[in-house]
Amino acid sequence: MNEVYNKLMTCVESIKKKIDFQPEVALILGSGLGDYADEIQIEQTIAYTEIEGFPTSTVAGHKGRFVFGYVNQVPVVIMQGRVHFYEGYPMSDVVLPTRLMGMLGAKKLILTNAAGGVNFEFQPGDFMMITDHITTGVPSPLIGPNLDELGARFPDMSEVYSKRMRDIIRKTAEELQIKLQEGVYVQFTGPSYETPAEVRLCRAMGGDAVGMSTACEAMAAHHMGMEVCGISCITNLAAGMSKEQLNHKEVQETADRVAKQFKELVTGVITRI
Ligand code: HPA
């Protein structure tokens, strides 16, 4: 059997031994947004380090565990701390947790992240619903022998971010009176922030926000038939767009400032999907 699939199934079995829970929705929390998981009705948590073969996350501010529980009666599994490509893991490991949540039964995936605003209309603290993505320099998570058990060799990517879910996000934001931008997310490898020239490239390519995650996870989830949506928290203007230099502290501070609204939006979306 395929090595990547084997590893995935080892992790799935390891989790199933610890918990009997069928999530409907999977949620991946981005930088500064992690404490959402502490506020739901928690059934059980499983630290990544407890799962055999699981890539463990190293970024400060990312906790590193699965939280199983309920958001307004909806059974969810939350990744509190994601795995990033820039940590040095192979791309198959980066998307392993996403696939794992799918294998546990989650049919829907909500991706969140902190991102730099590339679109001149955006301001720090805005939320952007992801309509599509572009990857630059990031290898596809689908490279390698196809995992036929999960999906097709040449999957269609014309609607990675579900139109149905996008309509729900839009409606939820409107009802909650939360300002919502929409746009294309560009994933770079990180860990450095982009150069101003790269940010101009993003804009020329049709990008609206830039970050170091998400698109790869969306691709892996879409490949295996999960319904996917994504929301970025625009924590800063991307490099070269303001006089300030970029730093992780600023990213975290903005994310913290709007965390309450973000949580309301995510809760609203989970309840409606
Ligand atoms: N670039 C890349 N990733 C980010 C940024 C950025 O400007 N802000 C938050 N995550």
Side-chain angles (χ1 to χ4, degrees):
M1 225 202 298
N2 178 290
E3 222 176 275
V4 171
Y5 189 71
N6 263 346
K7 187 170 183 177
L8 172 64
M9 291 319 287
T10 304
C11 292
V12 172
E13 293 314 316
S14 169
I15 289 205
K16 281 191 171 166
K17 271 188 217 138
K18 296 183 205 301
I19 188 168
D20 178 22
F21 186 92
Q22 161 115 26
E24 204 177 298
V25 177
L27 169 65
I28 302 184
L29 297 173
S31 279
L33 310 170
D35 68 351
Y36 179 77
D38 300 324
E39 296 169 17
I40 71 157
Q41 184 193 328
I42 297 176
E43 284 292 304
Q44 198 172 327
T45 63
I46 300 178
Y48 298 157
T49 49
E50 289 176 59
I51 306 164
E52 207 187 318
F54 195 92
T56 42
S57 182
T58 56
V59 187
H62 289 267
K63 252 187 191 162
R65 60 179 190 168
F66 284 114
V67 176
F68 295 87
Y70 295 89
V71 173
N72 291 338
Q73 273 98 51
V74 180
V76 297
V77 53
I78 302 180
M79 261 191 97
Q80 198 172 22
R82 56 157 48 95
V83 181
H84 293 89
F85 186 58
Y86 60 70
E87 292 172 83
Y89 296 105
M91 196 41 109
S92 56
D93 272 1
V94 174
V95 301
L96 182 146
T98 302
R99 287 175 164 156
L100 196 159
M101 294 191 290
M103 296 301 276
L104 293 175
K107 303 237 176 335
K108 297 160 190 164
L109 173 65
I110 304 173
L111 291 155
T112 68
N113 59 47
V118 168
N119 186 320
F120 284 117
E121 306 284 312
F122 293 1
Q123 286 169 3
D126 282 353
F127 299 114
M128 183 192 87
M129 178 177 81
I130 303 175
T131 56
D132 203 349
H133 72 228
I134 298 171
T135 58
T136 57
V138 183
S140 165
L142 308 181
I143 288 174
N146 185 50
L147 307 184
D148 295 329
E149 296 86 349
L150 302 187
R153 171 75 293 188
F154 301 109
D156 174 72
M157 290 283 155
S158 47
E159 192 187 310
V160 177
Y161 302 88
S162 148
K163 182 172 178 313
R164 189 189 74 87
M165 281 181 162
R166 278 186 269 147
D167 288 342
I168 290 170
I169 295 173
R170 213 177 279 123
K171 208 172 267 170
T172 307
E174 206 176 286
E175 276 172 32
L176 296 172
Q177 298 186 314
I178 293 172
K179 179 180 165 196
L180 186 71
Q181 307 278 15
E182 299 188 15
V184 173
Y185 177 88
V186 182
Q187 179 177 0
F188 276 84
T189 63
S192 63
Y193 292 110
E194 301 68 36
T195 64
E198 285 165 344
V199 171
R200 289 195 299 274
L201 172 69
C202 280
R203 201 174 299 118
M205 288 194 297
D208 296 289
V210 64
M212 307 174 193
S213 66
T214 303
C216 55
E217 294 152 335
M219 286 175 75
H222 186 65
H223 172 243
M224 67 187 291
M226 293 174 85
E227 192 181 6
V228 178
C229 66
I231 306 169
S232 294
C233 173
I234 305 297
T235 50
N236 56 281
L237 297 178
M241 292 174 66
S242 75
K243 290 194 196 82
E244 312 298 323
Q245 296 206 344
L246 305 191
N247 65 75
H248 188 59
K249 191 164 161 275
E250 179 199 356
V251 167
Q252 213 122 33
E253 278 170 4
T254 310
D256 287 347
R257 176 164 64 79
V258 294
K260 188 166 164 283
Q261 265 199 332
F262 170 77
K263 290 171 193 171
E264 280 172 24
L265 180 59
V266 170
T267 298
V269 171
I270 292 176
T271 311
R272 288 167 178 81
I273 58 172

